[in-house]
Amino acid sequence: MRRRVSPVSLILLGLGTFLLVLAPMLAWYVEPRAAVNPIDIDTTAIYTGTGSVFDVDKVGTVPDQKITVTQTVRGDVADSERSGKAVWDVTTTVDTDKSLPAADPHDALEFMPGRWVTNRKTNAPAHCCREKPYFEGEAYLKFPFDVQKRAYRWWDNSLGATVTLNYRGTKKIHGYEGYRFTGTVPATRTGTRLVPGAIVGEPKRSQVLAEEWYANHLIELVVDQRTGRVIYAQVGPRKTLRAPGGKKDAAVLLDSQKLAFTTATQKDQVDQAKTESGQLRMVGQTLPIGAGVLGFVLAAVGVVLVVRGRPDPDTSESSQPPLTM
């Protein structure tokens, strides 16, 4: 007696097999290709705090000033598509209330334009596309995807070199948990600047090629583990001038114990981290697991129905012709 295979069982078996194939593809093929640095980024982060700044009009350092650091990042889509890299134009300005609001960023206390180019997948520096300045390290505006519990080399633009940031556990920012990294920068000579001699304690010299020194009291970054997005940032920059060959700071250009993301910037970064992390989790975990489980169930049911089948009425015993002698 033959058994008829139900079309439903074949459909279930086929759909289950499709889902079983789809599950690993989502986890091993689609998700890694979704975890890339964007090329159309357009974001602004603002740090605020108090500290001492050099007032050019008063020719001296003024304490207890409100300091605002504005960092704008915009992707160059055309260069990114042409190069296959993430090409981001970065503008950082340092202001006091005296220079805010500024119609021209060049009027700020400090103005630092730059172009950051990275491998979209690994976040490693890619030296092309008129990159400026030349930088190294593993992290700057963001960390790599899938952040690990280890030390990272973070590029400090003011230092012009990398700083080791050590993993310090987890920390919640507005209820969202991230990995915390910290580090410091000892006083380091970073360059020279031509200034009036009086500024560095040499009044008899009209112009002096003073030494520029930089330190950082504390760098603290809290990072989303899955995306590498920085959801909280705090720095403590100190920039000074010394007379040529001097052992002590002669003038303080900028000194703050703490410049940190504003509440609005923190919330915005957390919201974006939640969205991006959720999307990667869905593609890399939720959908593959769901597809795998559902595919297994549907395939199993389909196999059972195919094996069991049902009798074909045209080939039943009652339909067989009788045997004759």
Side-chain angles (χ1 to χ4, degrees):
M1 179 176 61
R2 293 189 303 168
R3 293 181 179 274
R4 177 182 298 176
V5 177
S6 168
V8 174
S9 63
L10 294 177
I11 292 174
L12 291 178
L13 181 59
L15 183 57
T17 302
F18 170 75
L19 291 176
L20 287 173
V21 173
L22 178 64
M25 287 186 63
L26 288 171
W28 300 335
Y29 183 83
V30 178
E31 193 269 346
R33 284 159 178 76
V36 293
N37 289 342
I39 63 175
D40 58 349
I41 187 173
D42 187 351
T43 184
T44 298
I46 299 176
Y47 303 68
T48 57
T50 58
S52 301
V53 298
F54 189 85
D55 190 313
V56 177
D57 296 331
K58 296 181 179 180
V59 194
T61 303
V62 181
D64 301 323
Q65 298 294 297
K66 181 181 178 181
I67 301 171
T68 301
V69 179
T70 305
Q71 187 178 68
T72 302
V73 183
R74 291 190 175 92
D76 187 322
V77 176
D79 274 3
S80 296
E81 291 179 338
R82 185 162 40 248
S83 66
K85 313 298 183 184
V87 183
W88 296 352
D89 291 317
V90 185
T91 301
T92 304
T93 57
V94 181
D95 290 279
T96 62
D97 287 343
K98 184 178 180 180
S99 60
L100 283 176
D104 186 341
H106 293 81
D107 296 333
L109 183 68
E110 192 169 357
F111 171 70
M112 294 174 288
R115 169 165 281 210
W116 195 50
V117 186
T118 63
N119 180 299
R120 297 187 65 195
K121 182 177 177 60
T122 66
N123 201 56
H127 306 299
C128 70
C129 315
R130 305 180 306 282
E131 169 206 21
K132 184 180 180 181
Y134 182 96
F135 70 98
E136 293 292 351
E138 302 169 282
Y140 173 39
L141 299 173
K142 68 182 295 294
F143 278 58
F145 291 90
D146 190 24
V147 180
Q148 305 298 305
K149 297 178 180 180
R150 64 171 178 84
Y152 280 84
R153 292 178 296 117
W154 181 76
W155 177 261
D156 188 326
N157 212 33
S158 295
L159 178 65
T162 59
V163 178
T164 298
L165 299 184
N166 293 301
Y167 174 72
R168 302 296 187 187
T170 61
K171 183 175 181 178
K172 287 188 176 181
I173 305 297
H174 296 283
Y176 188 77
E177 188 172 271
Y179 285 3
R180 179 174 178 261
F181 296 87
T182 66
T184 59
V185 179
T188 305
R189 179 178 170 176
T190 56
T192 58
R193 179 184 300 192
L194 193 63
V195 301
I199 292 179
V200 292
E202 297 191 8
K204 293 182 179 181
R205 301 175 63 181
S206 60
Q207 296 288 319
V208 173
L209 195 61
E211 298 177 359
E212 294 182 319
W213 286 70
Y214 166 77
N216 207 305
H217 302 290
L218 176 66
I219 302 167
E220 178 183 357
L221 304 177
V222 181
V223 184
D224 177 46
Q225 187 276 330
R226 189 177 295 274
T227 66
R229 176 179 286 275
V230 178
I231 60 176
Y232 175 82
Q234 172 187 324
V235 294
R238 177 178 171 83
K239 297 184 178 183
T240 61
L241 293 177
R242 295 184 185 183
K247 301 299 181 182
K248 296 182 179 180
D249 295 331
V252 175
L253 302 179
L254 173 67
D255 188 16
S256 175
Q257 291 288 331
K258 179 181 178 181
L259 298 175
F261 274 178
T262 62
T263 300
T265 295
Q266 293 176 39
K267 290 181 177 179
D268 181 59
Q269 294 297 96
V270 166
D271 288 344
Q272 292 189 61
K274 286 181 178 179
T275 299
E276 295 165 356
S277 183
Q279 291 171 343
L280 291 178
R281 184 183 300 107
M282 178 175 292
V283 174
Q285 292 183 1
T286 306
L287 289 180
I289 293 174
V293 172
L294 182 59
F296 177 79
V297 172
L298 293 178
V301 172
V303 168
V304 170
L305 293 178
V306 168
V307 171
R308 291 178 59 185
R310 65 178 179 176
D312 189 333
D314 294 332
T315 60
S316 64
E317 291 183 4
S318 60
S319 66
Q320 299 297 318
L323 294 175
T324 57
M325 295 300 292

